[in-house]
């Protein structure tokens, strides 16, 4: 039997999942688990580089485990786990800290951005974050790591670290390729179509747990464009607001842009906005209901992430043992 290629992806549970996450990568994961041997984990160790409220962090991680399953990630068919449950991440993270250069880390754009945003808390973890992320990846020897544009630099430094390590000790790590998913729409904020949908602007953001009335309100208030033609036409440069709504509508209904333009010809924005809102409500309804059902079933959820952590640990520990041996640590026996 041909071995499936290995794919790994980590998600930081630092905000509530929203429509942008869903229509971007998340929606395509169920297809990926058919094709690849997939590891998905909640990167909780990474979140504490920014101060978190403990109760909220705990609730978010559990909610997101439930949401991934509700979005169609069958935990029998992939390895779904919580990063802090697999100690090998922190252990390999430390080793890789020692093979990652101060200069390289200083050049990371995400570090520079985040440091500028939180001047009062430029902690060492924020700085060494890429080495931990490299450990996350390399432990599982994946063939590729699907990431957004903003994480590409992190996958590149991971490859550099892996190549450096392999250069000294031989072929320990597989060199992973970044994989910028071609499918998946880039969804913009509903009230500011010049920036990506993000939970830092709540009125422009539809979370997966929003109530239908909130979703409808947000779509009704969505910013459209101040052009004179006021017709539903896809033109991202001229008409970013309407084009964003068309993208969303296309993604949730499966209709093409042309079909949408035709259906709303002569109807203006007033009819279009609530139609998009309603279509989104119907897409998200089963996900929200299933998430709530799973969250009420603590025993099931615990079973899922426990089994996930066990499966992940077996693979991760094998890599870690190899690394420890290569660097010269005495085996505990
Ligand atoms: N840094 C990623 C983000 O902020 C999350 C992440 C942590 C990750 N470890 C990873 C992604 C390993 C891919 C692989 O989105």
């Amino acid at each position: 039997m041909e071995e499936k290629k290995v794919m790994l992806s980590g998600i930081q549970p630092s905000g509530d999942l929203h429509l942008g996450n869903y229509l971007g990568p998340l929606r395509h994961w169920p297809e990926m688990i058919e094709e690849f041997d997939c590891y998905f984990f909640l990167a909780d160790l990474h979140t504490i580089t920014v101060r978190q409220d403990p109760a909220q962090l705990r609730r978010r991680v559990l909610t997101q485990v439930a949401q991934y399953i509700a979005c169609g990630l069958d935990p029998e068919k992939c390895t779904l786990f919580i990063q802090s449950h697999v100690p090998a991440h922190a252990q390999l993270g430390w080793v890789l800290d020692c093979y990652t250069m101060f200069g390289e880390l200083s050049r990371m754009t995400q570090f520079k951005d985040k440091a500028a945003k939180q001047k009062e808390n430029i902690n060492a973890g924020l700085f060494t974050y890429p080495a931990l992320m490299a450990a996350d990846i390399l432990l599982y020897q994946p063939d590729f790591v699907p990431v957004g544009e903003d994480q590409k630099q992190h996958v590149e430094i991971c490859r550099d670290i892996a190549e450096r390590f392999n250069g000294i000790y031989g072929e320990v790590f597989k060199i992973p390729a970044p994989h910028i998913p071609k499918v998946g729409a880039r969804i913009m904020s509903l009230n500011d179509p010049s920036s990506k949908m993000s939970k830092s602007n709540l009125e422009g953001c539809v979370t997966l747990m929003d109530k239908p009335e909130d979703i409808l309100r947000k779509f009704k208030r969505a910013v459209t464009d101040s052009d004179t033609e006021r017709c539903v036409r896809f033109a991202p440069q001229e008409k970013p607001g309407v084009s964003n709504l068309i993208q969303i509508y296309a993604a949730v209904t499966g209709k093409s842009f042309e079909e949408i333009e035709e259906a709303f010809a002569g109807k203006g924005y007033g009819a279009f906005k609530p139609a998009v809102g309603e279509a989104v409500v119907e897409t998200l309804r089963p996900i929200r209901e299933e998430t709530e059902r799973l969250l009420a079933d603590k025993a099931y959820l615990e079973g899922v992430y426990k089994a996930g952590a066990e499966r992940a640990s077996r693979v991760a520990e094998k890599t870690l043992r190899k690394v420890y041996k290569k660097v010269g640590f005495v085996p505990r026996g």
Side-chain angles (χ1 to χ4, degrees), residues 73-243:
L73 267 200
D74 179 348
E76 303 282 323
K77 292 189 184 163
C78 66
T79 305
L80 176 60
F81 65 103
I82 299 170
Q83 186 188 26
S84 64
H85 290 176
V86 180
H89 289 249
Q91 294 170 306
L92 183 62
W94 167 252
V95 174
L96 297 184
D97 274 348
C98 303
Y99 295 81
T100 308
M101 300 301 133
F102 183 87
E104 301 179 282
L105 291 173
S106 312
R107 287 191 293 274
M108 301 303 288
T109 53
Q110 183 167 303
F111 170 70
K112 288 190 266 186
D113 292 348
K114 287 203 175 168
K117 267 196 215 143
Q118 54 179 72
K119 290 210 169 61
E120 71 302 333
N121 186 20
I122 306 179
N123 58 75
L126 196 63
F127 189 65
T128 61
Y129 181 118
L132 178 60
M133 180 159 159
D136 298 338
I137 296 171
L138 298 174
L139 280 172
Y140 301 93
Q141 314 274 3
D143 294 282
F144 61 90
V145 184
V147 288
E149 207 39 67
D150 64 321
Q151 293 296 316
K152 221 175 120 193
Q153 200 185 19
H154 284 155
V155 178
E156 277 158 12
I157 196 176
C158 169
R159 292 163 56 95
D160 293 343
I161 297 167
E163 275 164 5
R164 179 174 302 135
F165 196 93
N166 285 355
I168 305 170
Y169 302 105
E171 295 302 300
V172 178
F173 297 125
K174 177 173 249 165
I175 308 297
H179 170 264
I180 312 288
K182 46 187 181 311
V183 280
R186 186 175 144 89
I187 303 299
M188 311 307 278
S189 162
L190 298 184
N191 63 0
D192 172 16
S194 64
S195 52
K196 239 167 90 171
M197 183 175 282
S198 138
K199 42 102 208 252
S200 59
N201 169 2
L202 267 186
E203 268 307 297
C205 175
V206 171
T207 78
L208 297 191
M209 299 310 268
D210 272 356
K211 295 196 202 67
E213 60 266 31
D214 295 323
I215 299 177
L216 290 174
R217 184 193 68 246
K218 289 175 186 178
F219 275 98
K220 281 193 186 131
R221 293 200 194 143
V223 168
T224 37
D225 308 292
S226 53
D227 57 329
T228 46
E229 67 168 23
R230 303 199 65 76
C231 85
V232 177
R233 182 166 64 83
F234 188 76
Q237 298 298 327
E238 288 162 64
K239 294 155 75 86
V242 175
S243 301

